[in-house]
Amino acid sequence: MPKIYTKTGDKGQTSLVGGSRISKGHIKIESYGTVDELNAWIGVLRDLPENESRKDLLKEIQDRLFTIGADLASEPEQTRKKIPSLYPADVELLEKAMDEYTEQIPPLRAFVLPGGHLSVSYAHVARTVARRAERQVIRLAELEEVEPLIIIYLNRLSDYLFVLSRKLTQELGTEENAWKAKH
């Protein structure tokens, strides 16, 4: 069995899909690294018993994030080759789920502080990582061509995770922590 370590990154460089080497500190690496981190948090959410009914959707989200990571880890000319694609239907799937949850939860009347239950907090952590990934991909798009649907998907995914946190709050019978500004 081959060893997992190659020592090729010991000087702070890594390879892109396509073979070229790039600094591990490059925004491209930050972008797909944060998508990978987000994928891990979605895995945490998927493994929670409270999300049993959403396991398939959360696994689909993980698959889409892996697709996004593969796209971002590729040299620009490589993305035109045989890399899995993201589709508008992937965004629509998130919107449909949000619409279903929104029909079942009370209207939002204030900013919500994360917390109330560990599962809700995990959803908020995933949401903030999704927002960070979105910001980093936008920065990357200022330097090189990025599939616009990636930014749309990450934006919608962070919205989904917010709505999921509210749905979990309702299902768990916990109270939403409304932010009250002190004057």
Side-chain angles (χ1 to χ4, degrees):
M1 179 174 216
K3 294 182 179 183
I4 192 71
Y5 58 91
T6 62
K7 301 182 184 181
T8 58
D10 289 352
K11 293 184 179 170
Q13 298 259 309
T14 192
S15 293
L16 297 176
V17 175
S20 66
R21 305 281 296 164
I22 187 172
S23 167
K24 289 181 178 183
H26 193 281
I27 187 61
K28 185 172 195 71
I29 308 306
E30 283 290 330
S31 295
Y32 75 74
T34 304
V35 168
D36 187 36
E37 179 185 351
L38 174 57
N39 205 333
W41 281 110
I42 299 297
V44 170
L45 287 172
R46 193 183 87 219
D47 290 343
L48 296 172
E50 294 84 3
N51 283 321
E52 184 63 37
S53 65
R54 290 177 276 271
K55 267 189 185 295
D56 290 343
L57 175 57
L58 292 168
K59 187 173 183 207
E60 179 64 21
I61 290 168
Q62 286 188 289
D63 180 83
R64 301 294 71 213
L65 290 173
F66 211 88
T67 295
I68 289 170
D71 188 288
L72 295 173
S74 300
E75 297 172 6
E77 57 278 358
Q78 194 72 22
T79 59
R80 291 168 188 74
K81 295 183 182 175
K82 293 185 180 193
I83 290 178
S85 297
L86 197 61
Y87 300 99
D90 298 320
V91 174
E92 292 164 9
L93 182 66
L94 296 175
E95 291 172 344
K96 181 179 177 221
M98 281 188 283
D99 291 344
E100 288 174 17
Y101 301 165
T102 301
E103 288 176 9
Q104 301 166 14
I105 57 179
L108 185 62
R109 304 228 186 272
F111 287 108
V112 177
L113 297 174
H117 188 279
L118 193 56
S119 297
V120 174
S121 296
Y122 283 142
H124 280 287
V125 170
R127 172 187 58 80
T128 62
V129 174
R131 284 288 183 215
R132 179 164 32 98
E134 178 188 10
R135 290 189 305 271
Q136 289 174 335
V137 171
I138 289 168
R139 283 182 45 218
L140 177 61
E142 293 169 355
L143 301 174
E144 67 181 51
E145 185 179 341
V146 170
E147 167 57 52
L149 199 51
I150 290 174
I151 295 169
I152 294 168
Y153 187 84
L154 292 171
N155 181 36
R156 209 67 85 251
L157 179 55
S158 62
D159 293 339
Y160 168 79
L161 292 165
F162 177 73
V163 175
L164 174 60
S165 74
R166 296 195 69 228
K167 180 67 176 146
L168 283 165
T169 297
Q170 178 203 44
E171 290 173 356
L172 293 163
T174 61
E175 207 171 309
E176 262 184 345
N177 300 307
W179 176 63
K180 295 177 177 111
K182 292 184 181 183
H183 298 286

